[in-house]
Amino acid sequence: MARTRFAPDHGLTRRMGLTMFLIGLLYVVFVGVLIAAFGKAWPLILVLAGGLFFVQFWFSDRIAAYSMGAREVTPEQAPELHGAVDRLCALADMPKPKVAIADTDVPNAFATGRSQKKSMVCATTGLLRRLERDELEGVLAHELSHVAHRDVAVMTVAAFLGVLAGLITRIALWSGLTRGGRNNNNVLFLLIPLVSAVVYVISFLLTRLLSRYRELSADRTGALLTGRPSALASALTKVSGQMARIPTRDLRQAEPFNAFYFAPALSGDGLSRLFSSHPTLEQRLDRLGRLSQELGRP
């Protein structure tokens, strides 16, 4: 983590390191299976895997920002938003990220970027319209915490293997069909989809576990920076309550990006909560309530 005034979270650092180690191990096993299956075509496999990784790591922030409708704004276009980010960056002693707005009524915010210098913080028009100044600063402090801890970059890399596994599976199946399924490769071509499915499931679970912890970490460190856990709790309550008033179609469009958002666009019940990218609202409010007591704040 780069030096800032955000409180360090050694638990998050350990979890990010363990996640990256396990993801890397999965990656090696997966590429090994592909090389065994494709034999002499192994250089192509390495080039494809390396190329996709390069694109994912270096351009994922731009792809994510574009996909979520973020447009960079100047201080003249969004003086209140820029003013809040300026105050928080000065308080945290960190470089100011790019500031963007997404034109959607879904009240949310997110951060992207592989480093502090390449980062962007985005708020939706729905969020800006609904939150008071101290609530907005609480949400932005939460997002800047993700940037300071660099967990956005880790989540991007961690999610890459699942994407690659799905893509390679489709390529392998198509290749197997066009070859007519040679006998000596039949077993391996049947094994590739199975290994890909296992890799996808494990990487999905690892990223979900990390994602839930990093949200709690960002809540805590963001609230410590502003010194107002109650403002962040108020923003969480307001955003979660307003989600029910947003058309389901709009929430479905936002749902694929839940892992990046301040609050999930859709949060399921029962079993689906086990695979949620965020802790429950009750868990987050409980942690913030206890933090308020520690700080002696109402």
Side-chain angles (χ1 to χ4, degrees):
M1 173 179 171
R3 291 177 179 268
T4 69
R5 294 196 182 104
F6 277 103
D9 189 324
H10 300 298
L12 177 62
T13 302
R14 289 193 296 270
R15 283 169 172 80
M16 289 193 297
L18 178 61
T19 299
M20 291 306 297
F21 172 77
L22 293 175
I23 288 290
L25 187 61
L26 280 173
Y27 186 78
V28 170
V29 172
F30 184 60
V31 172
V33 171
L34 292 177
I35 290 174
F38 286 91
K40 295 181 179 179
W42 66 265
L44 178 62
I45 299 299
L46 293 181
V47 170
L48 178 61
L52 288 173
F53 179 83
F54 176 84
V55 170
Q56 180 77 1
F57 183 76
W58 289 94
F59 299 104
S60 61
D61 53 342
R62 301 180 194 177
I63 295 171
Y66 175 80
S67 300
M68 290 184 271
R71 58 179 177 85
E72 189 174 354
V73 292
T74 64
E76 293 73 25
Q77 293 172 318
E80 182 181 355
L81 181 58
H82 268 275
V85 174
D86 284 334
R87 287 190 293 274
L88 291 169
C89 287
L91 191 61
D93 191 23
M94 67 182 291
K96 182 181 179 181
K98 296 177 182 178
V99 178
I101 290 177
D103 188 16
T104 173
D105 195 43
V106 179
N108 233 317
F110 64 89
T112 65
R114 62 184 183 273
S115 68
Q116 290 186 20
K117 293 182 179 180
K118 300 292 184 180
S119 61
M120 170 186 284
V121 172
C122 178
T124 67
T125 52
L127 185 81
L128 296 174
R129 187 166 56 252
R130 290 174 171 87
L131 297 189
E132 302 296 331
R133 173 177 164 176
D134 59 340
E135 295 171 336
L136 177 62
E137 288 194 354
V139 173
L140 293 174
H142 171 105
E143 296 303 329
L144 288 172
S145 173
H146 285 314
V147 174
H149 287 136
R150 296 186 177 178
D151 54 73
V152 173
V154 172
M155 283 293 294
T156 298
V157 175
F160 161 74
L161 187 57
V163 175
L164 178 63
L167 178 62
I168 295 298
T169 297
R170 289 192 290 271
I171 293 174
L173 289 174
W174 178 82
S175 176
L177 290 173
T178 55
R179 290 185 180 196
R182 294 180 182 177
N183 292 332
N184 59 342
N185 279 334
N186 278 348
V187 175
L188 285 174
F189 276 110
L190 288 174
L191 185 61
I192 289 174
L194 177 60
V195 173
S196 299
V198 171
V199 167
Y200 177 81
V201 169
I202 294 176
S203 62
F204 176 85
L205 293 175
L206 287 173
T207 53
R208 284 298 180 268
L209 290 172
L210 176 61
S211 180
R212 286 199 289 269
Y213 185 91
R214 82 185 188 107
E215 293 301 330
L216 292 173
S217 174
D219 282 347
R220 178 177 176 82
T221 54
L224 284 173
L225 181 72
T226 63
R228 297 191 299 273
S230 60
L232 181 56
S234 176
L236 265 171
T237 302
K238 189 176 291 186
V239 167
S240 299
Q242 289 292 316
M243 287 292 185
R245 302 183 180 185
I246 305 299
T248 303
R249 181 189 62 182
D250 295 341
L251 295 178
R252 290 291 183 193
Q253 291 177 348
E255 187 179 20
F257 306 102
N258 268 354
F260 290 94
Y261 280 134
F262 167 67
L266 285 172
S267 54
D269 297 320
L271 185 61
S272 61
R273 281 195 174 186
L274 295 175
F275 306 109
S276 174
S277 58
H278 289 65
T280 64
L281 175 63
E282 292 76 15
Q283 287 176 309
R284 298 175 76 175
L285 293 179
D286 179 64
R287 295 287 185 95
L288 289 171
R290 280 186 278 170
L291 181 59
S292 291
Q293 292 177 351
E294 291 176 20
L295 298 176
R297 297 292 178 87

